[in-house]
């Protein structure tokens, strides 16, 4: 690399930053992953960059049987976000194992396989079917899809049901298990503690928030499925807050953070809140190259702040604030 300008100096420092991360004992070359549901099984993104250059590819949640999903319309734009009501469309586990997973393995991608079920037994069966499959780095257990017919199937909204699913999956696999949590709960730390107690090795946070848009001409919900999951920058502060709360309660549990990440600085917020890696989702619909740009921006931001490793910033926002001393303030303990 020619050293001819100030910029080259920054670039050289940026390339010195160690971007490697380890999640539940599994090493990834960098902390930028795709988000489940936003890049299918990675094929489409491979036209824009090499999927092996991602930290990992998180696949669309797969179920036991092929599914066509919910009726259309199933997308609606919102300020700084979008609503989806896909309804777990997918090929089913057998086709996934025959086609998608081998494709990811052949392309040297690290697959984080997201599974979803409508019963505890279905989750267990999926984990069993994936046992021994090549190229599975982690299992992401999606217990928080908002687009199901029965809200009772949003296992992540009840500590007991969430734990039951994770316990059943844990029994069937040796691969580290990440539980994907919903923000639509009163106390996310309670749910996080329950799934960790049940054997989750890490947490993916957060899934979309349940929302609705009404068409003001028809005065009916825009989505055929009525409600949908809200994603995009609108939910980022909710996600950062959730990551913060869970990291504060369980600092040793690895977190894959997601929710409205569009830039390297957005990713940095999640890391400082306590995530060890991040997933980039909604933004890839409009900007498919975003994960690589975000990775470069994050590397640059870390270099500019003097960090030698991305691991150094994980949870940094939890350190005590530096006290601000104002000139007319009385020193503590001075007589009033
Ligand atoms: O397929 C979906 O409708 C969907 C899923 Br599985 C999920 O986890 N989150 C979401 O917003 N949509």
């Amino acid at each position: 690399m020619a050293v001819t300008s100030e910029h080259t100096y920054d670039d050289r420092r940026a390339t010195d930053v160690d971007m490697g991360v380890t999640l539940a004992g599994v090493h990834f070359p960098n902390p930028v992953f795709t988000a489940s549901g936003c890049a299918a099984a990675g094929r489409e993104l491979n036209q824009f960059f090499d999927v092996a250059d991602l930290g990992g590819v998180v696949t669309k949640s797969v179920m036991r049987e092929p599914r066509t999903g919910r009726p259309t319309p199933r997308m609606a734009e919102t300020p700084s976000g979008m609503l989806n009501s896909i309804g777990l469309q997918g090929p089913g586990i057998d086709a996934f194992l025959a086609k998608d997973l081998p494709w990811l393995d052949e392309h040297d991608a690290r697959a984080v396989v997201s599974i979803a079920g409508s019963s505890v037994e279905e989750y267990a069966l999926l984990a069993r079917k994936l046992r021994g499959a090549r190229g599975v780095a982690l299992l992401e257990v999606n217990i928080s899809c908002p687009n199901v017919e029965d809200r009772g199937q949003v296992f992540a909204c009840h500590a007991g049901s969430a734990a039951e699913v994770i316990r059943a999956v844990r029994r069937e696999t040796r691969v580290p298990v990440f539980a994907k949590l919903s923000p639509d709960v009163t106390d996310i730390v309670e749910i996080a503690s329950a799934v960790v107690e049940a054997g989750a090795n890490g947490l993916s946070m957060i899934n979309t928030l349940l929302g609705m848009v009404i068409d003001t001409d028809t005065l009916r919900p825009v989505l055929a499925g009525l409600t949908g999951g809200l994603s995009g920058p609108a939910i980022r502060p909710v996600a950062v807050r959730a990551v913060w709360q869970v990291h504060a309660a369980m600092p040793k549990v690895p977190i894959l953070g997601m929710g409205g990440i569009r830039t390297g600085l957005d990713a940095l917020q999640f890391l400082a809140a306590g995530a060890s890696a991040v997933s980039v989702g909604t933004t890839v619909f409009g900007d498919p190259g975003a994960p690589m740009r975000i990775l470069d921006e994050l590397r640059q931001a870390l270099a500019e702040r003097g960090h030698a490793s991305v691991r150094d910033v994980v949870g940094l926002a939890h350190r005590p604030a530096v006290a601000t001393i104002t000139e007319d303030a009385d020193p503590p303990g001075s007589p009033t």
Side-chain angles (χ1 to χ4, degrees), residues 183 185-188 205 236-246 273:
V185 292
T186 309
D187 182 1
I188 198 159
M205 298 168 57
R236 192 169 56 240
V238 176
V240 171
R241 178 271 297 169
V243 170
W244 166 284
Q245 288 179 321
V246 171

Side-chain angles (χ1 to χ4, degrees), residues 60-61 84-88 142 145-147 207-208 229:
K60 167 80 183 156
S61 298
N84 85 81
S85 170
I86 306 302
L88 288 145
N142 185 0
C145 173
N147 298 323
N207 209 319
T208 52

Side-chain angles (χ1 to χ4, degrees), residues 3-330:
V3 181
T4 51
S5 71
E6 250 179 85
H7 266 112
T8 318
Y9 173 69
D10 275 344
D11 290 349
R12 191 176 51 181
R13 286 192 51 212
T15 56
D16 285 345
V17 179
D18 178 359
M19 296 300 278
V21 294
T22 301
L23 300 177
V26 182
H27 181 77
F28 297 90
N30 71 67
V32 178
F33 292 49
T34 57
S36 179
C38 299
R43 267 199 192 80
E44 291 77 3
L45 283 188
N46 209 48
Q47 352 167 14
F48 301 97
F49 55 84
D50 189 344
V51 288
D53 291 341
L54 287 159
V57 174
V58 187
T59 58
K60 167 80 183 156
S61 298
V62 66
M63 298 192 79
R64 183 176 48 195
E65 304 296 338
R67 267 168 81 104
T68 49
R70 278 179 155 182
T72 57
R74 48 192 197 181
M75 297 280 236
E77 277 193 53
T78 68
S80 294
M82 61 169 258
L83 275 189
N84 85 81
S85 170
I86 306 302
L88 288 145
Q89 181 185 345
I93 189 66
D94 292 336
F96 178 84
L97 281 168
K99 292 192 192 130
D100 295 328
L101 198 53
W103 184 90
L104 286 166
D105 192 42
E106 280 155 24
H107 287 78
D108 296 324
R110 289 151 293 278
V112 178
V113 177
S114 172
I115 57 172
S118 48
S119 65
V120 173
E121 295 69 38
E122 189 175 341
Y123 281 98
L125 178 132
L126 290 162
R128 200 154 55 240
K129 285 208 170 217
L130 281 157
R131 208 190 278 161
R134 274 178 63 91
V136 183
L138 302 174
L139 281 190
E140 186 177 83
V141 184
N142 185 0
I143 50 175
S144 49
C145 173
N147 298 323
V148 289
E149 296 314 317
D150 172 6
R151 289 297 289 169
Q153 282 176 16
V154 186
F155 298 92
C157 290
H158 310 275
S161 320
E164 228 186 301
V165 172
I166 298 303
R167 209 172 291 118
V169 169
R170 192 51 296 158
R171 275 199 289 266
E172 300 290 349
T173 185
R174 290 196 181 161
V175 174
V177 167
F178 274 50
K180 184 149 183 187
L181 302 188
S182 169
D184 290 337
V185 292
T186 309
D187 182 1
I188 198 159
V189 174
E190 182 201 353
I191 312 289
S193 308
V195 294
V196 168
E197 176 88 357
N201 307 94
L203 302 164
S204 295
M205 298 168 57
I206 56 173
N207 209 319
T208 52
L209 283 80
L210 190 67
M212 179 183 273
V213 175
I214 306 268
D215 180 322
T216 48
D217 290 324
T218 63
L219 296 178
R220 289 276 309 145
V222 168
L223 297 173
L226 308 181
T227 55
L230 179 64
S231 63
I235 73 165
R236 192 169 56 240
V238 176
V240 171
R241 178 271 297 169
V243 170
W244 166 284
Q245 288 179 321
V246 171
H247 183 77
M250 288 174 280
K252 294 219 165 84
V253 176
I255 296 174
L256 179 59
M258 69 221 49
I261 295 175
R262 271 203 304 204
T263 68
L265 293 184
D266 296 342
L268 186 56
Q269 284 196 50
F270 278 81
L271 300 175
S276 296
V278 294
S279 277
V280 174
T282 303
T283 200
V284 302
F285 294 128
D287 178 10
M292 287 300 116
R293 173 182 52 75
I294 290 168
L295 176 59
D296 286 344
E297 289 171 358
L298 176 61
R299 192 186 278 120
Q300 187 69 33
L302 291 166
E304 285 166 5
R305 286 156 182 75
H307 296 289
S309 158
V310 65
R311 299 180 298 281
D312 293 349
V313 296
V314 174
L316 218 52
H318 290 260
R319 72 197 186 288
V322 178
T324 318
I325 300 164
T326 54
E327 272 182 20
D328 54 355
D330 291 326

